[in-house]
Amino acid sequence: MIPYRQLAGWAVFGGVMCLLPLVLPPGILRMVIFANFLAIFALSWDFISGRTGYVSFGHPFLIAIGAYSTAILSFRFDWPLIISIPSAVLITVISGLFFFVPALRIRGTYFALVTLAFMELAYQLTQVLRPDITGGTRGISGITSIVSGAVPNFYLSFSILFVAALLLWFLARTRMGTALAAVRMDEGAVTASGLSTIRLKLFAFGVSALVAGIGGAFYVHYLGSIAPRAMFDINFLFQILVAALIGGSTTIAGPIIGAFFLTFLLEYLRPFIDGPERFLIFGSVALIVYVLKPNGIYSILESGYGLALARFRRFRPEGGPAK
Amino acid sequence: MLNLLIQGLALSGLYALIAVGFTMIFSVGRVLNLAYGTYIMLGGYVYFTIVQEQGLPKVAGFAGALIAGGLFAVIVYEFLVRRLEGNPKAVSISTLILAVAMQALIVLIYRPTSKSMWPVINGVFRYEEIFVTYNVIVATVTSWVALGGLLILVRYTQFGRAVRAVSMDRKGAVISGIDPERMNRATWMISGALGALAGVFFATYTQLFPSMWVWPLIIAVAVVVVGGIGSIIGSLIVAHIIGFMEVVTTTYIAAELRGVFTMLLIIIVLVMAPKGLFGRGDI
Amino acid sequence: MTPLLEMRSVSKQFGGLSAVTDLDIHVDEGECLGLIGPNGAGKTTAFSILMGELEPSSGSVHFRGGDITGLPTHRRVQLGIARTYQIPRPFGDMSVLDNVRVGAMPDSVMRLLIPDRATESEWNFLQTVGFTAREASMLPGQLSMGELRKLELARNLATGPRIMLLDEVFAGLTVAEIGQLTELLLQRKRDGMTYMVVSHDLKSLRPLVDRVVAISFGSAIAQGSFDAVLENPQVREAYLGQD
């Protein structure tokens, strides 16, 4: 019953990624670092939005809490990173409760709207409240980096991604994963099965905020600077959301695939159009994929793999196996 | 003090106009159209192009804006929303993606720098200590005329009856001989045109810039959510609450905080009273 | 003897509308109680109040003599009360097996964090309810109404109930399916299960119930044996209108 095939997949994924710095120039490696972080954020988003169905439009809020906390603690108060980062993650998990409280009463699009309002609220407040600490509109720059150079940063960001993905993969395979999927389908029936949806949701929001906080904290130390417009931004939300959706929601591989696809698509559009206009093409691609294939690239790959397998076995050549 | 009152009324009127197109779609189709803000942006930019860049008459500018808004809204409905019908989550996600893509399109055509829009009518009305620009007067009057027209359309015409029938019971409407698709298309078109109209005035209040769609969208959401679904009077009241809150905050506290109370209002009302303050409410 | 489950002088208003008025219902251990009455009489509302899905406007609910009014639904399920819905509510994207297994899950985060694998006993359980191995891997969308009702019943049984509230269990079933279901319910009853059954299908209800309560406009108008209640002139009038 040990899932050898998936474990093999993980090993191949980890192995290939670890070899990347040997073959890629630092320029492209920096893109991969960004893709790693985006994948972490997309995985965190998908854990509540995809799995439990509580679509979050305010995920940048959680990420920014993690990022701002460690930035402020280390830059303004000279805390060592080894304390400031865990504190930031803890603060993010607690802030996740801000999301959780509305989820007790509302769901669906209404919930998405509240989280969006949280993000805009935080955006406006960071600019005005205590600019001596948050840096106001200009933000904070000169934040200590953990390691320097493309290769060490790649390994650092990839290890976080790998650990986060493994953790979420394990969770998805537990009974908890099944119970959270049940929450998405019918909360009333979950309650009628004797499970506390409050507890399940609290767990899901906690895990999602945990991953968002870890991602946000390490991300800001990689970037070295933070500003409200870069963080509490609909474009940032858009990238997270699209990475998860285009790759394939409610899977682990999906958001990772989506994040890499997105990063490289944006990068390869650069010679043709170099500004934020790239989002036009990118957004159109995302929309088309989303409307035609709501389950994303992952499902295309999966059915492609199934098809190939079927051909190979000369079995049911007209389509892949069910599911 | 009197100036504050007039400013508040003017801003609230505009907010009511911004929200009303959004409310229509929400109460008829129960979908949150997060691309609504782009109608407003589209209206502003199209008017700008026709009047300020091409030097054509203002009537042509308004006509162009209304047509562009209505047409775009119908396209969004036909190619996106209709295909995702029955899945409100997918609609809100995909319209949000669309809005960001439209923002990129605006950057592509008009560059990211902001453009200033001339007032629709120049000049200032002055009486003793009251100062009001003619632009604000025109905007407020237009808002109220448009709102009144819409109210008459919805309440007292065959078309309005049919639209309300579709919003209450789609199947019942179908067996009464109403084509819900046609009604939906018409509603979306009106919604787009109203949004674009509001956009022209909104742009004269602020400026034209590619992310200008976000704030009006939040206003529209706040008005609908706080006012309650399907309550036109509720929407009007909330538009005034938000408008006056903003004017008072800007004048007495800080201009940067003008959005904060609106956001808090959305959060508090959604959490405490998900049905809205005046709605018949079904979630 | 204390009744297993009972509601005492429960009223429930929706806005100005009274759905249930001063209603007393009780069911003893091992008994099968039928709830009958015309549409809109308040039978489903009564179930929802017993389950804690609706809060009563006044009155109380008791389980084995203990007051459980205000207890959240999942806690009542853990105590041993389960219900089915008029329109079955399966988890749509989950196999039949997984649907049933959600019912068996412990309500504890730590104990949910173990690999999700069907155990032997879960397979066996599914077979005792009458699902074949092939059906176990099907999705609810592929099932007939009879199988959906069976699925919901199985998910309920998996929670380990002492009493089951069955809402219109016979609706939409074929005659053969009604027979199988009755057989299954009676068999569990012999093992000591208590039931409360709402049904419009009086003919199917008859072999199942020990006692019947007739409800009209939110109040109990008659109770007693099946035949006695159906003979009651008030009940006949409620069902047939002015007679």
Side-chain angles (χ1 to χ4, degrees):
Chain A
M1 286 306 277
I2 296 165
Y4 290 110
R5 249 185 36 208
Q6 271 112 325
L7 286 178
W10 281 104
V12 170
F13 174 56
V16 169
M17 290 294 284
C18 283
L19 293 177
L20 281 186
L22 302 180
V23 288
L24 293 181
I28 295 182
L29 208 55
R30 291 204 178 273
M31 286 164 47
V32 180
I33 296 172
F34 177 73
N36 283 341
F37 279 111
L38 188 59
I40 297 169
F41 302 146
L43 280 170
S44 161
W45 181 84
D46 194 48
F47 196 71
I48 47 173
S49 307
R51 214 159 284 277
T52 66
Y54 278 82
V55 175
S56 156
F57 280 167
H59 235 63
F61 168 79
L62 290 177
I63 295 161
I65 296 273
Y68 261 109
S69 302
T70 180
I72 290 170
L73 290 175
S74 65
F75 186 78
R76 299 261 184 239
F77 300 103
D78 293 318
W79 287 27
L81 298 189
I82 198 145
I83 304 175
S84 77
I85 292 177
S87 316
V89 173
L90 189 69
I91 295 171
T92 314
V93 172
I94 295 168
S95 310
L97 291 179
F98 280 117
F99 272 27
F100 172 69
V101 171
L104 292 175
R105 309 232 1 198
I106 50 177
R107 63 187 70 169
T109 1
Y110 287 82
F111 175 74
L113 285 175
V114 170
T115 58
L116 189 65
F118 266 121
M119 187 176 85
E120 283 295 319
L121 183 66
Y123 169 58
Q124 301 206 341
L125 286 178
T126 28
Q127 297 180 71
V128 202
L129 290 183
R130 299 301 300 269
D132 54 322
I133 291 182
T134 62
T137 317
R138 282 169 46 218
I140 303 171
S141 50
I143 301 162
T144 335
S145 50
I146 302 169
V147 287
S148 60
V151 176
N153 266 306
F154 165 79
Y155 280 117
L156 180 63
S157 62
F158 176 66
S159 6
I160 304 166
L161 168 63
F162 197 72
V163 171
L166 259 178
L167 169 78
L168 296 177
W169 176 73
F170 168 74
L171 284 178
R173 296 178 59 84
T174 61
R175 293 202 257 181
M176 178 58 90
T178 312
L180 291 179
V183 167
R184 179 183 69 233
M185 295 171 209
D186 189 337
E187 275 190 49
V190 172
T191 313
S193 305
L195 298 176
S196 157
T197 52
I198 295 177
R199 198 173 300 160
L200 293 174
K201 284 189 275 185
L202 189 60
F203 179 81
F205 282 67
V207 169
S208 178
L210 176 79
V211 175
I214 293 174
F218 280 95
Y219 187 49
V220 75
H221 287 297
Y222 166 67
L223 288 179
S225 65
I226 185 171
R229 192 63 295 177
M231 270 294 164
F232 304 107
D233 183 22
I234 290 205
N235 276 306
F236 186 35
L237 162 69
F238 170 80
Q239 294 190 29
I240 297 169
L241 205 131
V242 165
L245 292 173
I246 211 176
S249 196
T250 71
T251 63
I252 300 299
I256 300 176
I257 297 170
F260 278 82
F261 179 78
L262 200 159
T263 311
F264 281 83
L265 179 69
L266 282 182
E267 194 53 35
Y268 286 112
L269 285 173
R270 197 184 284 279
F272 309 103
I273 26 177
D274 55 355
E277 306 93 298
R278 286 176 293 162
F279 281 104
L280 174 62
I281 295 176
F282 182 67
S284 318
V285 172
L287 263 187
I288 293 167
V289 173
Y290 186 60
V291 173
L292 297 180
K293 276 271 169 201
N295 295 326
I297 301 173
Y298 182 79
S299 74
I300 301 174
L301 292 181
E302 204 181 31
S303 57
Y305 173 77
L307 211 67
L309 205 69
R311 284 267 162 76
F312 179 68
R313 291 176 179 165
R314 297 171 182 229
F315 168 67
R316 285 214 304 171
E318 75 281 2
K323 203 174 172 185
Chain B
M1 194 64 207
L2 203 57
N3 269 322
L4 198 74
L5 187 71
I6 292 170
Q7 272 181 44
L9 278 177
L11 192 63
S12 308
L14 181 66
Y15 281 178
L17 185 64
I18 287 176
V20 77
F22 186 76
T23 314
M24 274 182 75
I25 297 303
F26 197 47
S27 48
V28 171
R30 285 290 182 275
V31 291
L32 276 178
N33 172 21
L34 298 183
Y36 182 73
T38 56
Y39 305 165
I40 285 159
M41 182 164 71
L42 210 59
Y45 273 98
V46 168
Y47 180 88
F48 173 82
T49 309
I50 294 175
V51 176
Q52 262 165 270
E53 287 193 334
Q54 306 296 327
L56 292 170
K58 284 161 184 165
V59 181
F62 274 106
L66 290 180
I67 293 171
L71 206 63
F72 179 63
V74 172
I75 292 172
V76 173
Y77 175 72
E78 265 317 304
F79 291 98
L80 206 61
V81 176
R82 205 162 65 87
R83 282 159 206 277
L84 299 169
E85 212 150 5
N87 188 348
K89 251 181 253 165
V91 171
S92 51
I93 288 174
S94 57
T95 49
L96 186 72
I97 297 178
L98 179 70
V100 176
M102 284 301 290
Q103 176 180 340
L105 182 70
I106 294 291
V107 174
L108 188 68
I109 301 175
Y110 295 94
R111 314 314 311 164
T113 45
S114 60
K115 305 200 176 325
S116 67
M117 186 106 141
W118 303 329
V120 173
I121 292 174
N122 284 311
V124 179
F125 174 82
R126 195 174 290 208
Y127 178 79
E128 289 181 6
E129 57 200 273
I130 304 167
F131 296 86
V132 199
T133 60
Y134 283 119
N135 187 52
V136 167
I137 298 176
V138 173
T140 314
V141 171
T142 314
S143 297
W144 282 102
V145 169
L147 286 172
L150 186 74
L151 203 63
I152 292 171
L153 185 73
V154 172
R155 286 270 167 91
Y156 303 108
T157 63
Q158 278 299 341
F159 170 76
R161 253 188 288 279
V163 167
R164 275 184 294 149
V166 173
S167 86
M168 286 171 201
D169 184 353
R170 195 192 160 96
K171 274 184 192 150
V174 171
I175 56 170
S176 317
I178 298 169
D179 176 1
E181 281 312 313
R182 261 183 63 203
M183 288 303 135
N184 279 338
R185 237 172 278 142
T187 326
W188 278 77
M189 200 173 75
I190 295 173
S191 156
L194 284 172
L197 178 65
V200 175
F201 290 111
F202 183 73
T204 65
Y205 276 47
T206 58
Q207 272 186 330
L208 287 167
F209 52 99
S211 62
M212 65 181 278
W213 59 276
V214 178
W215 182 241
L217 175 66
I218 289 175
I219 296 287
V221 164
V223 168
V224 171
V225 160
V226 177
I229 308 157
S231 164
I232 293 182
I233 302 299
S235 303
L236 276 178
I237 295 173
V238 175
H240 283 79
I241 295 176
I242 292 174
F244 273 96
M245 249 175 18
E246 193 176 318
V247 169
V248 169
T249 317
T250 313
T251 317
Y252 294 111
I253 308 175
E256 295 90 347
L257 283 175
R258 63 196 178 96
V260 167
F261 294 99
T262 309
M263 236 70 76
L264 281 177
L265 189 71
I266 301 182
I267 294 171
I268 292 169
V269 169
L270 265 184
V271 174
M272 304 303 286
K275 289 170 184 173
L277 298 181
F278 308 97
R280 30 168 216 261
D282 29 313
I283 290 229
Chain C
M1 161 174 136
T2 10
L4 185 64
L5 181 66
E6 83 176 306
M7 64 193 326
R8 290 186 197 154
S9 51
V10 162
S11 299
K12 175 71 188 174
Q13 280 103 31
F14 294 108
L17 200 79
S18 261
V20 167
T21 315
D22 203 20
L23 187 65
D24 292 281
I25 300 175
H26 69 95
V27 58
D28 292 321
E29 184 123 35
E31 187 187 27
C32 179
L33 176 73
L35 276 185
I36 63 168
N39 280 329
K43 296 165 300 198
T44 299
T45 306
F47 270 16
S48 299
I49 288 172
L50 286 171
M51 282 311 289
E53 290 160 329
L54 286 176
E55 281 300 307
S57 309
S58 64
S60 56
V61 180
H62 301 258
F63 183 70
R64 306 188 133 178
D67 191 338
I68 59 166
T69 327
L71 205 65
T73 305
H74 68 274
R75 298 277 304 125
R76 299 188 196 207
V77 176
Q78 290 162 18
L79 284 178
I81 314 171
R83 80 166 286 184
T84 67
Y85 294 91
Q86 217 165 336
I87 299 158
R89 291 168 68 171
F91 302 117
D93 302 335
M94 259 183 214
S95 68
V96 167
L97 176 66
D98 282 342
N99 258 282
V100 175
R101 294 179 54 239
V102 171
M105 279 184 190
D107 185 32
S108 137
V109 169
M110 288 320 286
R111 288 172 61 205
L112 284 176
L113 290 178
I114 55 163
D116 189 32
R117 230 175 284 131
T119 61
E120 188 103 6
S121 67
E122 283 167 334
W123 277 105
N124 292 340
F125 173 74
L126 212 57
Q127 272 167 1
T128 62
V129 193
F131 280 110
T132 63
R134 200 178 64 84
E135 286 168 334
S137 60
M138 293 210 301
L139 289 175
Q142 300 166 288
L143 300 182
S144 72
M145 184 50 103
E147 287 163 332
L148 280 177
R149 295 216 183 273
K150 204 162 67 180
L151 169 59
E152 203 166 65
L153 216 58
R155 194 174 67 199
N156 273 342
L157 283 170
T159 66
R162 315 194 60 86
I163 173 166
M164 298 179 75
L165 315 182
L166 309 176
D167 199 349
E168 296 291 357
V169 268
F170 301 117
L173 303 196
T174 63
V175 176
E177 283 171 334
I178 290 175
Q180 284 167 8
L181 190 62
T182 309
E183 193 47 50
L184 182 71
L185 293 176
L186 283 175
Q187 187 196 328
R188 296 273 164 178
K189 186 165 181 263
R190 282 192 288 273
D191 299 339
M193 183 67 77
T194 310
Y195 294 106
M196 221 161 162
V197 191
V198 161
S199 181
H200 270 104
D201 185 351
L202 297 179
K203 208 170 72 188
S204 308
L205 197 58
R206 187 174 193 169
L208 210 58
V209 295
D210 304 312
R211 186 164 59 91
V212 168
V213 174
I215 302 179
S216 181
F217 293 111
S219 311
I221 52 173
Q223 68 162 313
S225 76
F226 185 87
D227 295 319
V229 168
L230 281 212
E231 288 300 315
N232 186 306
Q234 250 186 303
V235 174
R236 298 187 76 92
E237 191 186 326
Y239 262 93
L240 303 170
Q242 289 104 339
D243 206 8

